Amino acid sequence: MARIEEASVALYGLPLGRAWGDQTHQASEIEVVIVRLTSEEGIVGDGFSWTAGVGGRAIVSLVESEIVPRLMGKEAAPRPRWHELWRALHDAGGGGLTTTALGAVDIALWDLLGKQLGSSLTGMLGRWRETVQAYASGIDLNMSIEELEEEVRRWVGRGYEAVKIKVGSPSIEEDRRRVARVRKIIGARPLMVDANQGWDVTGALRACRQLEEFDLTWMEEPLVSDDTLGHAKLRAASPVPIAVGENLYTAYDFNRYLALEACDYAQPDVARVGGITPFLDIAAVTSAWNVPLAPHFMMEITGQLLCCLPGAFLVEDVEGGSLSELGALKEGIAVQEGRFHPPEDPGHGIQFDFDAIGPFRKA
Ligand code: MG
């Protein structure tokens, strides 16, 4: 197997086409960390990770100072490398910046392995389905109700069969108005809402009861993600199913949530959990609990994984947030008629346009 001879890491701040707003965040750019690994035969693997604006430079520093020295000369084998690196970095935290740094490295290892074998990522993992259903997702709490309606009409026009909007307006009455308008536009299509960890248990339960009549597929992140017991208490009383996972970091986190019956849908983020290797472990955990997998963000890579996992439910296509829409790729990977089609090229097939993103380099 190929050995790793070179490694580089870079941070970019890619501007969003429209500023994002939810109950707990405002964002005008996405930080993308790109790790490039080169084998002794000259095969190059690219991996990537992201932040919503916090921690990009710390991730670069972790990769440079703690990860690269432990990778040099080692075989480019994702699973053994991931587990030895996670153990090595664990004193700095079992999840968070450490796993987000590992995410870029692990994805680069899988890309390198695929290119060495001449196989696509879905070819290596084995396809369960040719395409996977995507849902349109908006970071749209900062939109007027008219802008929100226009956004959702656009999604329906493009063929999306499921949509998600933000909730957490200053009043629950305002959330009810927004959700009611969207429900009217989309008819019987699945509708999800996302509160971005903004409520306490009492507020979240009130919101779930007030929004029950709109037949929501899930209420996402009603509480701060650290509060597993609060989620368990809420889920036991809520008339709306609960989705959690974009701020969980390890298979242990997901197993704890599921063992405590604290969520109905699992939403791991492939970068934040540490890459493809731990994502597959988490998928095994959620499968064992018979809970649908509806991962967060990172559509271009997550869509490929969902084509290979029997328990997969939906891939999230965040409007304006895909690497393609951020202008980071040589060739965009688009959702067509509401379905994600995986690339066929060796590796993950996600090719960065380094000329285009060069001006946005931060570190
Ligand atoms: Mg969310």
Side-chain angles (χ1 to χ4, degrees):
M1 183 170 275
R3 289 184 184 277
I4 300 160
E5 195 172 81
E6 272 178 52
S8 66
V9 57
L11 172 68
Y12 302 86
L14 302 181
L16 292 163
R18 175 187 70 78
W20 284 355
D22 65 36
Q23 195 177 180
T24 55
H25 306 87
Q26 304 292 327
S28 57
E29 68 169 32
I30 298 292
E31 286 189 333
V32 176
V33 178
I34 300 179
V35 167
R36 174 160 269 208
L37 301 177
T38 307
S39 74
E40 57 197 349
E41 298 90 349
I43 304 170
V44 176
D46 285 331
F48 47 94
S49 202
W50 72 281
T51 89
V54 179
R57 286 185 172 81
I59 290 167
V60 169
S61 176
L62 272 172
V63 173
E64 283 175 341
S65 61
E66 305 295 343
I67 297 179
V68 169
R70 291 178 165 93
L71 272 179
M72 287 299 107
K74 295 276 184 68
E75 285 185 348
R79 190 166 288 275
R81 293 297 78 77
W82 193 88
H83 284 279
E84 74 193 16
L85 287 169
W86 186 69
R87 283 284 171 188
L89 268 63
H90 193 273
D91 281 356
L97 290 176
T98 51
T99 48
T100 310
L102 284 175
V105 173
D106 181 77
I107 293 170
L109 285 168
W110 279 95
D111 191 40
L112 204 159
L113 182 62
K115 286 171 178 165
Q116 190 191 9
L117 298 173
S119 172
S120 66
L121 179 58
T122 54
M124 284 190 285
L125 298 176
R127 275 200 206 182
W128 180 265
R129 51 179 76 79
E130 291 305 308
T131 64
V132 65
Q133 189 183 350
Y135 70 92
S137 180
I139 321 286
D140 49 18
L141 199 63
N142 56 348
M143 282 185 180
S144 70
I145 201 157
E146 291 76 22
E147 290 169 330
L148 176 69
E149 288 179 302
E150 190 187 317
E151 172 190 65
V152 173
R153 280 200 199 94
R154 187 167 64 245
W155 292 339
V156 171
R158 283 188 198 154
Y160 289 95
E161 286 297 323
V163 307
K164 186 173 85 189
I165 65 163
K166 297 299 184 186
V167 289
S169 303
S171 74
I172 190 66
E173 289 72 26
E174 178 66 11
D175 278 336
R176 279 175 55 85
R177 271 195 293 276
R178 294 170 76 89
V179 173
R181 296 272 193 103
V182 172
R183 173 50 85 200
K184 200 169 174 193
I185 294 168
I186 67 172
R189 291 176 179 83
L191 170 59
M192 291 76 80
V193 297
D194 187 353
N196 292 92
Q197 311 181 89
W199 289 320
D200 58 21
V201 176
T202 307
L205 184 55
R206 178 164 178 264
C208 288
R209 287 178 174 152
Q210 290 279 323
L211 297 172
E212 179 187 3
E213 68 181 276
F214 301 108
D215 189 24
L216 301 175
T217 299
W218 71 62
M219 165 69 74
E220 180 169 322
E221 287 201 312
L223 314 173
V224 70
S225 63
D226 310 76
D227 186 7
T228 319
L229 295 177
H231 279 87
K233 189 176 169 188
L234 173 66
R235 180 176 177 263
S238 170
V240 179
I242 304 297
V244 180
E246 68 182 79
N247 286 289
L248 303 183
Y249 293 96
T250 66
Y252 299 99
D253 289 340
F254 282 91
N255 197 50
R256 186 177 64 252
Y257 256 87
L258 296 170
L260 291 170
E261 301 184 3
C263 68
D264 299 279
Y265 293 88
Q267 304 182 293
D269 179 298
V270 64
R272 285 176 168 174
V273 301
I276 294 165
T277 300
F279 187 98
L280 297 173
D281 291 344
I282 289 165
V285 169
T286 61
S287 172
W289 286 101
N290 214 5
V291 163
L293 194 60
H296 177 246
F297 206 43
M298 303 287 284
M299 177 193 73
E300 287 93 345
I301 195 91
T302 299
Q304 299 185 49
L305 300 176
L306 290 199
C307 285
C308 305
L309 293 166
F313 182 45
L314 290 170
V315 62
E316 179 178 28
D317 185 5
V318 178
E319 184 168 83
S322 65
L323 290 169
S324 312
E325 285 181 286
L326 288 166
L329 305 186
K330 283 183 179 163
E331 216 171 300
I333 301 171
V335 166
Q336 295 157 14
E337 287 302 309
R339 297 197 72 83
F340 176 87
H341 298 251
E344 304 282 348
D345 312 299
H348 53 52
I350 298 165
Q351 292 181 37
F352 287 97
D353 185 342
F354 288 99
D355 290 335
I357 61 177
F360 304 109
R361 185 159 176 181
K362 290 165 78 170

